[in-house]
Amino acid sequence: MHPITVLETTTCAAFIMILFAIAFLVPKKNRKLGFITVSSITIIVLSFLLIRPFWIDYQVSIKTEQLDHFLKKKYPNQEWEIGHQTGRQYNPYHLRVQFENEKGWTYTYSVVDETNICQNTWTPPEGSLPKEGEHFELNQCE
């Protein structure tokens, strides 16, 4: 498990334990309502922690399709491979593209929606300048 995930889970667990302790300390006539409230919060937090990775994967698949469509319009008759860096420390919505006709180069595109796609970083092979790339774009993302 990634350290960020461990930190998030531990923080949520501590928060929920504190809420249960507070609910236990509430006067007896309101204790049942306190436990119902804390149980509801627990279910919401657990649902969020369980659903979020699947939601991000779903969004990444949509953005990958949008980028593929964008690249088909911009670079017809070319082949490429789209991927993304895995790990919690990386933005899952920054997609890496490697073109078949340009080995060693990696371009990273930021995909906000189908109309707002831009190249934000590029990694040339050692000894090359960014402007030497066939697919190098000098545009700023908003």
Side-chain angles (χ1 to χ4, degrees), residues 111-128:
V111 181
V112 177
D113 56 32
E114 61 187 44
T115 59
N116 193 2
I117 299 173
C118 63
Q119 189 181 94
N120 55 1
T121 60
W122 47 91
T123 308
E126 192 171 328
S128 299

Side-chain angles (χ1 to χ4, degrees), residues 35-72:
F35 280 123
I36 290 172
T37 304
V38 173
S39 297
S40 299
I41 292 171
T42 302
I43 290 170
I44 290 169
V45 169
L46 287 175
S47 298
F48 172 76
L49 291 175
L50 292 174
I51 293 172
R52 189 171 113 196
F54 297 106
W55 178 252
I56 289 173
D57 288 344
Y58 173 70
Q59 291 296 315
V60 167
S61 68
I62 290 173
K63 291 183 184 301
T64 301
E65 290 175 17
Q66 291 171 344
L67 178 60
D68 189 54
H69 183 68
F70 171 80
L71 291 173
K72 282 180 182 174

